């Protein structure tokens, strides 16, 4: 039943039966839905657990700004479908003129680091990071016992600082290296760069063009994706509890098929009348008895459909399911969510990959108090000599505060410290941040914020974290394993269960454009003809140029 013509205008009989069900209405799910619609396939439904669409794309209003709680930037231009989408809907200007960016770095005693030293260490750090990426790109081996990005950069930093005669010079530069590594944890999505596999860092493809802001906010990218989808095709507040992608009867008959004694078409076997089944007399008694037991069982109504059971008790059936559930939720629930369980190779990849926590802290003030020329304050925390209690040290993971506007600051925190912050009240976080700013700016009159807003991506039940990274011991092939669709049996031409989301794109994991492209890939796979036409040349059209130029990068 999974191989029908998906472009058919014939509708399923039941209002809860669809050709395709998309689980999740984040950017991957919206991308899948748009691709189906653009290719004439309207028999689909999107099930979204939250009361809103967008997933990890969400903005909220504050006094002077709409602020992004999730995705913040378009990462790169060339080959980026999000940039193309934003451009085609006049959300960004083709000429991107970045605002002047003046960063200062301060120590805990409120002393500002000379810009020359900051620039020197930043240049060295970027060089060290690029060398880490080369292990994947050039496929040579790192030094013995160096397995992570953090270990490699710390080794390079130590060698770099050894040439300096003064211990004070070394100490100050070491603090800057440490701050940049904390920043990198927020970029990569991990607790420590010691968690990220050195040989795999270069597997992430960086698109040229830098980080692009959408003036109206990143969340405005949702409007053009949503506008063509009928509201009735999106059911919010429908958290999925169970995905039954193969029935018990199918599974049992499939095991018989493996013995070479049963019909080649297990779907047909499942729906055959009992009287038509005549098992071979040569079957062993236990197989014959089990077949007899199965044929005497009452038939399920939709044996050949995937059944989706929601937390609210509703059930839906589909020929095919595109699952965009985030990796954090899969880590927590995959073993109980899918029936039968996912193949072991998928479960192993889910376990091996990293899904870190990155949170934001927004501080809103009544009036400006920072020098208008300054856009970011880097915080050079001293390295503790002994382990500290998390309650007394979580805030030391905040590597900087940057200006969103003259009256709005943004701080980032990652890993276990971010998880701890999520247990605190907004008032506690605001009080702590005020102490930090007074300390590093050496100014006891830094005002308290009027409002503090913190994200809580680890606590959110439908994300359980922020985005994917490749942990030590994992590899790009684990991302590819997650993307691999599942067929009900070897004779099906179309998969029954497909996967999309940033965690399934092997080059652009952790990004919105990776999620978007993965949604397109899943939908395209369902709509592709069973056999490629002979003598035809597949050329991209201008509407889908990104699928052709993705991966191409500009020099320099």
């Amino acid at each position: 039943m999974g191989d029908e013509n998906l472009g058919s205008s014939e509708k399923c009989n039941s209002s809860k039966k669809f050709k395709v069900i998309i689980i999740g209405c984040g950017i991957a799910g919206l991308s899948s839905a748009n691709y189906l619609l653009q290719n004439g396939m309207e028999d689909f439904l999107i099930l979204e657990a939250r009361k809103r669409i967008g997933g990890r794309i969400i903005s909220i209003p504050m006094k002077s700004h709409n602020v992004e709680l999730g995705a913040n930037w378009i990462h790169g231009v060339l080959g980026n479908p999000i940039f193309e989408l934003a451009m085609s809907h006049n959300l960004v200007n083709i000429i991107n003129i970045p605002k002047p960016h003046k960063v200062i770095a301060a120590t805990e005693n409120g002393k500002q680091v000379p810009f020359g030293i900051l620039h020197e260490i930043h240049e060295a750090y970027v060089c060290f990071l690029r060398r880490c990426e080369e292990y994947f790109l050039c496929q040579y081996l790192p030094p013995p016992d160096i397995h992570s990005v953090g270990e490699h950069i710390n080794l390079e930093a130590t060698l770099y600082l050894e040439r300096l005669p003064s211990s004070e010079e070394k100490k100050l530069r070491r603090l800057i290296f440490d701050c940049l590594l904390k920043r990198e944890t927020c970029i990569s999505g991990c607790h420590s760069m010691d968690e990220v596999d050195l040989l795999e860092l270069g597997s992430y493809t960086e698109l040229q063009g830098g980080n692009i802001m959408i003036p109206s906010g990143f969340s405005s990218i949702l409007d053009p994706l949503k506008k063509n989808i009928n509201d009735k095709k999106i059911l919010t507040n429908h958290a999925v509890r169970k995905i039954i992608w193969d029935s018990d009867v199918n599974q049992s008959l499939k095991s018989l098929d493996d013995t070479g004694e049963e019909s080649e078409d297990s779907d047909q076997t499942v729906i055959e009348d009992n009287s038509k089944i005549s098992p071979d007399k040569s079957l062993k008694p236990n197989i014959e008895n089990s077949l007899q037991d199965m044929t005497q069982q009452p038939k399920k109504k939709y044996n050949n459909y995937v059944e989706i059971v929601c937390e609210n008790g509703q059930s839906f059936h589909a020929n095919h399911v595109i699952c965009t559930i985030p990796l954090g939720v899969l880590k927590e629930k995959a073993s109980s969510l899918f029936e039968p369980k996912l193949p072991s190779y998928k479960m192993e990849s889910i376990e091996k990959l990293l899904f870190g926590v990155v949170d934001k802290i927004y501080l809103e003030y009544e009036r400006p108090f920072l020098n208008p020329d300054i856009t970011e304050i880097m915080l050079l925390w001293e390295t503790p000599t002994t382990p500290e209690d998390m309650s007394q040290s979580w805030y030391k993971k905040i590597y900087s505060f940057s200006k969103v506007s003259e009256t709005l600051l943004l701080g980032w925190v990652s890993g276990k410290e971010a998880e701890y912050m999520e247990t605190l009240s907004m008032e506690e976080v605001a009080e702590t941040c005020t102490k930090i700013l007074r300390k590093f700016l050496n100014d006891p009159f830094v005002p308290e914020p009027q409002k503090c807003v913190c994200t809580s991506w680890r606590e959110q039940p439908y994300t359980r974290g922020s985005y994917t990274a490749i942990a030590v011991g994992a590899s790009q092939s684990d991302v590819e394993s997650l993307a691999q669709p599942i067929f009900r049996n070897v004779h099906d031409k179309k998969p029954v269960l497909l996967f999309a989301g940033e965690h399934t794109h092997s080059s652009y994991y952790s990004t919105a454009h990776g999620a978007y492209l993965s949604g397109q890939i899943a939908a395209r796979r369902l709509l592709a003809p069973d056999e490629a036409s002979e003598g035809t040349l597949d050329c991209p059209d201008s509407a889908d140029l990104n699928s052709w130029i993705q991966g191409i990068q500009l020099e320099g």
Side-chain angles (χ1 to χ4, degrees):
M1 294 292 290
D3 298 328
E4 298 140 326
N5 177 9
L6 290 173
S8 170
S9 59
E10 182 183 346
K11 300 294 180 185
C12 296
N13 295 327
S14 168
S15 61
K16 292 189 177 182
K17 246 173 77 181
F18 302 87
K19 289 274 181 16
V20 179
I21 286 180
I22 300 166
I23 300 175
C25 199
I27 199 161
L30 288 168
S31 173
S32 289
N34 273 273
Y35 191 88
L36 294 177
L37 283 174
Q38 288 162 10
N39 288 275
M41 213 295 278
E42 298 185 8
D43 190 4
F44 68 85
L45 180 72
I46 306 176
L47 298 176
E48 169 54 49
R50 294 181 175 88
K51 296 178 182 178
R52 62 171 181 84
I53 68 167
R56 281 164 276 174
I57 300 174
I58 176 176
S59 67
I60 62 165
M62 292 185 76
K63 185 178 72 175
S64 61
H65 251 76
N66 269 4
V67 299
E68 300 297 334
L69 302 184
N72 227 78
W73 297 284
I74 300 175
H75 296 290
V77 173
L78 184 60
N80 191 327
I82 303 299
F83 181 76
E84 293 172 15
L85 189 66
M87 278 291 300
S88 64
H89 289 84
N90 298 314
L91 297 177
V92 292
N93 195 327
I94 192 167
I95 301 173
N96 178 44
I97 303 173
K99 294 178 180 178
H101 189 49
K102 183 179 179 183
V103 182
I104 62 168
T107 59
E108 285 189 57
N109 60 8
K111 289 187 178 179
Q112 191 172 323
V113 175
F115 180 76
I117 295 175
L118 182 60
H119 180 71
E120 171 205 332
I121 299 305
H122 182 264
E123 290 289 302
Y125 173 81
V126 170
C127 180
F128 300 161
L129 194 64
R130 292 293 173 258
R131 279 210 278 265
C132 290
E133 293 173 346
E134 287 174 5
Y135 288 109
F136 178 87
L137 300 171
C138 303
Q139 301 201 340
Y140 54 80
L141 294 175
D145 302 320
I146 300 293
H147 305 292
S148 71
V149 174
E151 289 169 338
H152 196 281
I153 289 180
N154 279 313
L155 173 63
E156 293 244 46
T158 300
L159 294 173
Y160 180 88
L161 296 174
E162 276 180 356
R163 64 185 177 82
L164 298 174
S166 164
S167 59
E168 280 302 310
E169 286 183 305
K170 288 181 183 178
K171 180 182 176 183
L172 183 58
R173 286 163 173 79
R174 180 76 249 188
L175 293 180
I176 299 171
F177 276 126
D178 290 344
C179 182
L180 292 171
L181 278 168
K182 289 175 186 175
R183 177 176 178 266
E184 203 66 42
T185 64
C186 291
I187 294 169
S188 295
C190 59
H191 169 65
S192 162
M193 292 309 292
D194 290 347
E195 295 177 334
V196 178
D197 196 281
L198 174 60
L199 297 178
E200 294 293 324
L201 184 69
S203 64
Y204 172 81
T205 301
E206 187 172 334
L207 299 178
Q208 298 297 308
N211 292 332
I212 309 298
M213 295 289 290
I214 300 178
S216 55
F218 196 96
S219 297
S220 59
I221 205 74
L222 296 174
D223 294 333
L225 289 171
K226 168 66 175 65
K227 70 177 182 180
N228 294 323
I229 304 173
N230 189 310
D231 289 342
K232 294 180 180 178
K233 292 187 178 295
I234 301 175
L235 294 184
T236 55
N237 239 354
H238 278 68
V240 171
R241 180 171 60 83
K242 185 74 72 174
I243 302 169
I244 306 168
W245 59 273
D246 205 357
S247 67
D248 294 337
V249 177
N250 267 358
Q251 283 288 299
S252 303
L253 287 169
K254 199 181 300 177
S255 65
L256 291 179
D257 189 33
D258 291 341
T259 69
E261 303 288 349
E262 192 50 62
S263 162
E264 288 187 355
D265 189 342
S266 63
D267 281 342
Q268 279 297 312
T269 306
V270 168
I271 61 171
E272 275 182 342
D273 185 75
N274 294 353
S275 61
K276 294 181 182 178
I277 298 177
S278 51
D280 194 315
K281 300 299 181 184
S282 65
L283 288 177
K284 293 180 181 180
N286 62 328
I287 297 177
E288 185 173 355
N289 291 340
S290 63
L291 178 61
Q292 188 175 6
D293 291 342
M294 282 185 291
T295 57
Q296 289 173 356
Q297 290 175 356
K299 298 286 185 294
K300 293 183 180 179
K301 188 176 180 183
Y302 302 126
N303 275 334
N304 302 301
Y305 289 84
V306 184
E307 182 179 3
I308 309 293
V309 182
C310 295
E311 297 282 3
N312 60 15
Q314 292 196 53
S315 290
F316 302 86
H317 292 83
N319 299 94
H320 311 272
V321 168
I322 298 174
C323 175
T324 75
I325 293 172
L327 177 59
V329 179
L330 292 178
K331 279 180 169 290
E332 191 172 79
K333 295 189 174 180
S335 58
S336 61
L337 183 64
F338 296 93
E339 188 179 308
K341 292 184 184 298
L342 293 177
S344 58
Y345 74 89
K346 271 194 187 292
M347 295 301 293
E348 288 168 7
S349 293
I350 288 169
E351 185 177 346
K352 284 161 70 176
L353 288 168
L354 192 61
F355 196 73
V357 186
V358 179
D359 280 322
K360 298 180 183 180
I361 304 168
Y362 284 103
L363 303 172
E364 188 174 57
Y365 296 90
E366 184 177 3
R367 60 179 65 90
F369 66 91
L370 280 175
N371 186 314
D373 294 335
I374 296 171
T375 56
E376 185 175 5
I377 310 153
M378 288 177 62
L379 311 175
L380 305 185
W381 294 99
E382 298 277 349
T383 304
T385 53
T386 57
E388 295 179 301
D389 185 79
M390 187 65 77
S391 64
Q392 302 300 314
S393 65
W394 71 266
Y395 48 84
K396 294 182 180 181
K397 197 66 169 289
I398 303 171
Y399 66 86
S400 80
F401 285 102
S402 58
K403 280 182 184 175
V404 179
S405 72
E406 288 302 318
T407 56
L408 187 62
L409 297 184
L410 169 60
W412 298 75
V413 61
S414 67
K416 294 172 185 175
E417 290 83 0
E419 292 184 41
Y420 181 83
M421 184 203 71
E422 292 183 15
T423 67
L424 304 176
S425 68
M426 302 286 185
E427 290 76 18
E428 288 176 287
V429 175
E431 184 180 341
T432 299
C433 289
T434 301
K435 289 177 182 177
I436 292 169
L437 287 165
R438 288 174 177 174
K439 183 185 187 78
F440 281 87
L441 293 173
N442 197 19
D443 180 358
F445 299 106
V446 168
E448 294 182 359
Q450 279 188 322
K451 189 174 184 180
C452 174
V453 172
C454 307
T455 60
S456 56
W457 288 110
R458 171 61 188 166
E459 286 296 311
Q460 295 298 314
Y462 306 123
T463 49
R464 307 299 284 164
S466 300
Y467 34 84
T468 304
I470 298 184
V472 172
S475 71
Q476 190 181 45
S477 63
D478 288 302
V479 181
E480 292 165 354
S481 292
L482 288 191
Q484 193 69 26
I486 294 177
F487 292 77
R488 185 179 279 123
N489 61 64
V490 294
H491 311 293
D492 282 351
K493 294 181 178 66
K494 294 284 189 337
V496 67
L497 189 55
L498 302 96
F499 297 86
E502 51 85 17
H503 57 289
T504 67
H505 199 292
S506 59
S507 300
Y508 303 142
Y509 50 85
S510 80
T511 67
H513 60 271
Y516 181 92
L517 287 170
S518 73
Q520 276 195 344
I521 290 166
R524 186 183 295 122
R525 180 149 198 170
L526 285 181
L527 295 181
D530 293 343
E531 295 180 8
S533 302
E534 294 185 9
T536 60
L537 181 64
D538 184 19
C539 296
D541 58 26
S542 58
D544 194 25
L545 191 59
N546 64 74
S547 66
W548 177 62
I549 63 174
Q550 63 171 299
I552 300 175
Q553 295 197 33
L554 293 174
E555 295 297 327

